[in-house]
Amino acid sequence: MERTFLAIKPDGVQRKLVGEIIRRFEAKGFTLVGLKLMNVSRELAESHYGVHKDKPFFAGLVEFITSGPVVAMVWEGDGVIAAARKVIGATNPLNAEPGTIRGDFGANIGRNLIHGSDAPETAQSEIALWFSDAELVAWQPTIMSWIYE
Ligand code: IDP
Ligand code: MG
């Protein structure tokens, strides 16, 4: 099954939205296989957002993501990479649909609460960047036959 990397950013943690955000992915039927609360080093932040290093918002983005604890997660499920991006909503919360995490809780592009991998290749590299193999727990929820045909 597919896996994706999600991270609740410092604004989501500060605003006490950790439970609310995790609840949405659990309720959807995805399986949590990795979870940790952590401070993000500058090195990790710059590597994670390396694709944006030439953008004007890069310095502020690194500053923001290293400014407080982050909840790093790996979730598993059929089509979870694309589906999680839908649950998360558009990058700018002002454009994100109501019902999405950013649409329901965000009001600014620089404070959009959560990161989600955008493709299979980035999911794979982000999971490897943030988690060791030993930190990932493969397990079979017993309710699986009520979620998948
Ligand atoms: P995504 O998180 O929806 O994949 P990306 O375009 O990959 O969006 O941008 C990565 C992150 O950089 C965004 O989630 C947001 O935190 C930040 N960001 C993107 N564009 C801007 C901007 O114009 N101003 C400030 N921050 C931005
Ligand atoms: Mg992105």
Side-chain angles (χ1 to χ4, degrees), residues 6-26:
L6 305 181
I8 304 173
K9 298 179 183 183
D11 53 340
V13 176
Q14 292 286 351
R15 291 180 54 195
K16 314 282 187 181
L17 290 170
V18 170
E20 168 68 30
I21 288 171
I22 290 178
R23 187 195 66 76
R24 292 183 176 213
F25 293 103
E26 281 193 313

Side-chain angles (χ1 to χ4, degrees), residues 49 51-52 85 91 115-118 126:
Y49 281 124
V51 64
H52 296 301
R85 295 275 297 186
T91 303
H115 167 85
S117 305
D118 61 8
E126 288 172 0

